[in-house]
Amino acid sequence: MTTRPKLRIGGHLLPGLAAVALFALFTFVFLTSSFPAPTGFPAGTNVTANIGYALFNIDAGEVPAEGFIVAFFMIAIVLDAALDGAVMLARRDVDDSPDELVPERGQFEGGDD
């Protein structure tokens, strides 16, 4: 016989409600914001150079720069933190000495020799 799940109300409920409220806020902002129509690049321009100029806020291209360097560095820092966290989570915590990690020949347990 199956039983119904019970709602446990406690200290763990607050982060869940905060996540739902943040999702609702992001949904509201996304649905109510308006963006101008994309203009694209003029014909005959070097697209790669203009993207580089716009990224580093250099007014050397045919397209005016908008200064994306702060967003570029923020994304780099977040990705670096994610990589550091993944390495830290994947690291194995071994308290044994190196001699105990690999058994000597003939010392395996539970097998037939």
Side-chain angles (χ1 to χ4, degrees):
M1 175 170 209
T2 60
T3 59
R4 291 184 63 186
K6 296 179 182 176
L7 178 64
R8 292 185 295 157
I9 299 175
H12 63 279
L13 189 61
L14 183 63
L17 291 175
V20 170
L22 188 62
F23 178 76
L25 176 70
F26 283 160
T27 303
F28 174 75
V29 168
F30 179 74
L31 292 177
T32 59
S33 60
S34 63
F35 299 101
T39 58
F41 289 99
T45 61
N46 188 353
V47 175
T48 308
N50 282 309
I51 290 174
Y53 295 143
L55 179 66
F56 292 107
N57 200 16
I58 300 172
D59 291 327
E62 293 89 15
V63 178
E66 296 181 14
F68 296 111
I69 191 72
V70 174
F72 178 76
F73 279 121
M74 286 176 58
I75 290 170
I77 290 170
V78 168
L79 288 176
D80 185 39
L83 181 64
D84 292 344
V87 168
M88 191 167 41
L89 289 174
R91 187 180 61 198
R92 189 178 298 191
D93 292 333
V94 177
D95 295 333
D96 300 329
S97 66
D99 296 335
E100 296 176 2
L101 294 178
V102 179
E104 294 292 326
R105 180 174 211 132
Q107 292 182 354
F108 290 104
E109 297 178 352
D112 294 331
D113 289 329

